[in-house]
């Protein structure tokens, strides 16, 4: 095999390992998954897996980095496509619900309690860049355009608003899924998730009071 062919095969193997590990980690959690399970699921030996990743932690970090990169690109596309702040936020929340159906709290628990401090720092920065900062920019744009109140009026800046929204999303993912979600995203499931996303955003933007009482 040529050097180019060998490099391509190595890259494909690495991508397969990351994809397989992602599925196992998200389903079972960090502690419950072993490198032997991942290697077996990939049709590899453990030494072959260790040729690409030095240990389980380094693989987990790369898995989450790949998730962050995918999410960041998706949120940037949403922000570019949607013009109104509510539409942007609803589509961001909907994306999270569709692509992160499992409890994000489990992932954050694993990061805090299972990983070394250097790995935690890497993933915190990755999460901020992929998830938090794009949402902060949406709120900042809303404040600058006048679509949202000036934070000096009520003491909640764009960063706090973004963190509140992320908390609502995390809480919503702990609730029972929309009926039929496990069978795929049919029209009724899609509509249900869109309604949930709209409700979360409206609670944050407008509160729980009826329009007449605002």
């Amino acid at each position: 095999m040529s050097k180019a062919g060998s490099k391509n095969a190595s890259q494909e193997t690495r991508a397969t390992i990351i994809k397989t590990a992602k599925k196992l980690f998200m389903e079972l959690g960090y502690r419950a998954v072993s490198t032997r399970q991942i290697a077996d699921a990939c049709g590899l030996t453990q030494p072959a897996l260790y040729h690409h990743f030095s240990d389980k932690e380094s693989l987990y970090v790369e898995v989450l980095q790949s998730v962050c990169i995918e999410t960041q690109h998706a949120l940037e596309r949403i922000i570019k496509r949607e013009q109104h702040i509510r539409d942007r936020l609803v589509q961001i929340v909907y994306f999270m619900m569709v692509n992160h159906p499992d409890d994000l709290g489990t992932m954050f628990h694993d990061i805090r309690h299972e990983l070394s401090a250097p790995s935690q720092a890497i993933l915190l920065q990755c999460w901020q860049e992929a998830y938090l900062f794009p949402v902060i920019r949406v709120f900042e744009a809303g404040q600058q355009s006048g679509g949202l109140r000036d934070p000096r009026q009520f003491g909640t800046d764009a960063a706090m608003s973004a963190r509140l929204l992320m908390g609502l999303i995390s809480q919503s993912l702990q609730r029972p899924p929309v009926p039929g979600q496990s069978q795929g995203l049919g029209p009724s499931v899609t509509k249900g998730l869109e309604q949930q996303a709209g409700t979360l955003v409206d609670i944050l933007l407008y509160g729980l009071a009826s329009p007449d009482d605002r």
Side-chain angles (χ1 to χ4, degrees), residues 15-207:
T16 298
I17 293 170
I18 292 173
K19 181 179 179 180
T20 304
K22 174 185 174 182
K23 184 175 186 295
L24 291 171
F25 283 137
M26 294 305 172
E27 287 181 356
L28 304 175
Y30 179 80
R31 180 173 291 188
V33 177
S34 68
T35 54
R36 182 177 294 279
Q37 284 177 277
I38 297 169
D40 288 345
C42 294
L44 300 171
T45 63
Q46 274 188 294
L49 186 146
Y50 286 132
H51 174 73
H52 295 275
F53 299 95
S54 60
D55 53 28
K56 184 170 78 168
E57 181 168 319
S58 65
L59 173 54
Y60 188 65
V61 168
E62 186 140 352
V63 165
L64 294 189
Q65 285 179 312
S66 72
V67 172
C68 285
I69 291 171
E70 292 170 2
T71 299
Q72 184 175 3
H73 291 166
L75 298 195
E76 288 172 350
R77 288 194 297 270
I78 289 171
I79 292 169
K80 185 176 181 180
R81 182 180 72 237
E82 305 292 344
Q83 299 302 311
H84 192 276
I85 181 173
R86 182 184 182 276
D87 295 336
R88 286 177 173 175
L89 293 176
V90 169
Q91 289 304 311
I92 286 172
V93 174
Y94 175 73
F95 173 85
M96 299 284 191
M97 289 179 166
V98 171
N99 292 279
H100 298 280
D102 299 317
D103 178 15
L104 286 175
T106 300
M107 183 178 74
F108 292 133
H109 177 275
D110 287 344
I111 292 172
R112 286 193 301 269
H113 297 283
E114 304 290 347
L115 303 187
S116 64
S119 292
Q120 290 183 39
I122 291 171
L123 291 177
L124 173 60
Q125 182 66 28
C126 188
W127 177 80
Q128 289 176 331
E129 293 175 354
Y131 292 80
L132 186 62
F133 293 164
V135 180
I136 289 176
R137 289 195 291 272
V138 172
F139 282 104
E140 287 176 339
Q143 291 168 353
Q144 292 168 3
S145 68
L148 294 176
R149 288 185 293 174
D150 189 306
R152 291 172 293 186
Q153 294 179 317
F154 59 104
T156 302
D157 61 12
M160 184 179 294
S161 298
R163 290 183 182 278
L164 286 171
L165 181 61
M166 296 303 294
L168 289 173
I169 294 171
S170 181
Q171 288 296 317
S172 74
L173 293 176
Q174 297 180 41
R175 298 169 55 190
V178 173
Q181 185 172 353
S182 60
Q183 281 74 47
L185 292 178
S188 62
V189 175
T190 297
K191 183 178 180 180
L193 291 174
E194 288 176 341
Q195 289 176 340
Q196 284 188 18
T199 298
L200 288 184
V201 171
D202 288 343
I203 288 173
L204 183 60
L205 293 181
Y206 311 121

Side-chain angles (χ1 to χ4, degrees), residues 1-10:
M1 180 182 295
S2 66
K3 289 184 178 180
S6 178
K7 182 178 180 180
N8 289 337
S10 179

